[in-house]
Amino acid sequence: MAPNPPLGVVLHAIGGLMSAIFYLPYRKVKHWSWESYWIVGGVFSWIIVPWIIASLAVPNLVPTLANAPAKSVFWSFFFGMLWGIGGATFGLTVRYLGFALGTAMALGYCAAFGTLLPPIFNGEFGGVIKTTSGLVVMGGVAVCLLGIVISGLAGTAKEREVPEQAKKASVKEFSFKKGVLVATFCGIMSACMSYGFAAGKPIAEVAVSNGASDLWKNLPVLIIILAGGFATNVISCVALNLRNRTFRDYVQKEHHPLPNTGEKHPSPNPLPVKGEGNVAKVPLLANYLFCALAGTLWYLQFFFYGMGTTKMGRYDFSSWTLHMASIIIFGTLVGVCLSEWKGVTGRTHGLMLFGLVVLISSTIVIGYGNYLAKESTPAISKVSAK
């Protein structure tokens, strides 16, 4: 299939939009702890939806996975586990910092590690920077990182200017210190998704040999990576369920605060407590439906990412930068819609807008660099799983 970088940029942009909005349905969940709604959504995003979509799009899916190289499966799963740790903490990043600042900080680390390390680790970075098209792509990566820094500075300025009461209104559990620590860890670990796709290239090749279209060849790889992410998230969420005594969330139709603890249940949007003994009705079916919607939206980001990667051509490692830039662009816009930027000065608004312009420019530069190289057939990113 011939490369089509402009289409690849559009697909990555759609994936970024899905990532930016996936957390919104979780805000409608009532009287569930974070660990409960996160893992219920995860069952859909990491297991159910990937299998359904891959089964519809990829012929001979089960034989493809059964005949995939064991080494590639292992490393894809392993990187998926590491990425899963980062994915779990991304939910906490948004919880403590909000969409705008949280995504900028976490994804800044993620973009740098996820884009630059694969070609460096594979010994191909030198070859990339020896070509005009490669230099243009790397220039676009640099512009993206600059845009992320600017967005982070805008987010930091926002936190200094927005009154504490306004912060709590838009981000109920706002904590700058906790958020910074979690965002740093999250960004580094989340970059492992990029390594998982690189390690899974032999799986994609088996899918194509079994009749899959190049456009869908990464869907079986996603199944393996996301299974690894599911494993780590199940462990962490079940541990939190045990520690916080929140297993009742999954079946309980009424919320009963724990006795003598003054418990404030960590729901993202708790219902007013009604009735005798501070008992509140829990919309159990609605909670599951909102979690299913959130999980599906979350998966769609990598559904479009996988398609976008197939269109980028020789420098497909730049896909990770495009994905990160798109998430921050749309994440910032979501933050604006949620009034997270309300009350800031004109200077901070200008800084935020400047960051968006720089990020959008980076996607254009990266797309142009891949367009220059589209006539080249060798793929720069090769699998290395040492």
Side-chain angles (χ1 to χ4, degrees), residues 30 101 150 203 223 255 281 287 313 319 345 357 364:
K30 315 290 184 180
L101 181 58
I150 294 171
I203 302 174
I223 288 177
H255 171 60
K281 294 291 184 182
N287 282 357
S319 290
T345 64
V357 170
I364 296 172

Side-chain angles (χ1 to χ4, degrees), residues 46-375:
W46 303 319
I47 302 296
I48 296 176
V49 179
W51 273 98
I52 290 175
I53 292 182
S55 297
L56 294 173
V58 179
N60 304 307
L61 176 62
V62 173
T64 293
L65 294 173
N67 295 320
K71 186 177 181 181
S72 181
V73 171
F74 169 80
W75 284 107
S76 295
F77 185 85
F78 175 75
F79 286 127
M81 291 181 67
L82 297 183
W83 160 83
I85 297 173
T89 50
F90 179 74
L92 291 174
T93 302
V94 173
R95 177 176 167 184
Y96 291 134
L97 294 178
F99 281 99
L101 181 58
T103 53
M105 294 193 70
L107 299 185
Y109 290 106
C110 193
F113 281 88
T115 302
L116 299 178
L117 285 188
I120 293 174
F121 185 72
N122 292 332
E124 296 153 349
F125 187 77
V128 172
I129 61 176
K130 287 180 180 178
T131 63
T132 300
S133 56
L135 286 173
V136 172
V137 169
M138 293 310 301
V141 173
V143 172
C144 177
L145 294 176
L146 175 62
I148 293 172
V149 171
I150 294 171
S151 297
L153 291 174
T156 302
K158 174 179 77 74
E159 303 313 323
R160 289 198 301 263
E161 296 171 5
V162 174
E164 195 66 24
Q165 186 176 0
K167 292 178 190 175
K168 295 293 185 180
S170 60
V171 186
K172 296 183 184 301
E173 298 179 70
F174 178 83
S175 173
F176 187 74
K177 266 187 186 176
K178 286 183 182 178
V180 169
L181 292 174
V182 172
T184 302
F185 180 78
C186 165
I188 295 173
M189 297 304 290
S190 294
C192 290
M193 172 62 80
S194 176
Y195 312 152
F197 271 101
K201 285 193 173 185
I203 302 174
E205 292 170 3
V206 174
V208 172
S209 67
N210 283 339
S213 163
D214 276 346
L215 191 63
W216 312 117
K217 66 182 181 181
N218 284 321
L219 295 182
V221 182
L222 258 180
I223 288 177
I224 302 299
I225 297 173
L226 296 180
F230 180 73
T232 51
N233 276 268
V234 163
I235 294 171
S236 62
C237 288
V238 168
L240 287 172
N241 279 144
L242 288 170
R243 189 185 71 181
N244 298 330
R245 291 181 284 175
T246 51
F247 273 113
R248 56 186 179 163
D249 288 345
Y250 305 113
V251 296
Q252 188 170 257
K253 295 183 179 180
E254 293 182 338
H255 171 60
H256 301 264
L258 298 177
N260 304 319
T261 62
E263 173 203 15
K264 293 182 179 178
H265 207 282
S267 166
N269 190 18
L271 287 170
V273 176
K274 299 178 181 178
E276 195 172 342
N278 286 335
V279 175
K281 294 291 184 182
V282 177
L284 202 58
L285 177 60
N287 282 357
Y288 277 103
L289 290 176
F290 281 123
C291 287
L293 176 59
T296 301
L297 290 173
W298 185 97
Y299 169 77
L300 288 177
Q301 69 169 309
F302 288 115
F303 173 74
F304 286 105
Y305 173 84
M307 288 194 293
T309 300
T310 67
K311 295 294 184 180
M312 295 311 296
R314 185 180 181 188
Y315 303 121
D316 59 354
F317 67 87
S318 62
S319 290
W320 194 247
T321 299
L322 291 171
H323 186 60
M324 296 298 105
S326 299
I327 292 174
I328 297 174
I329 290 167
F330 288 110
T332 301
L333 295 176
V334 168
V336 171
C337 293
L338 295 176
S339 300
E340 292 184 7
W341 295 84
K342 187 177 180 179
V344 303
T345 64
R347 178 182 177 278
T348 299
H349 266 297
L351 194 60
M352 179 264 288
L353 291 173
F354 181 50
L356 289 178
V357 170
V358 173
L359 287 169
I360 293 171
S361 300
S362 75
T363 67
I364 296 172
V365 174
I366 291 172
Y368 179 65
N370 279 276
Y371 176 79
L372 291 177
K374 74 175 185 177
E375 299 301 323

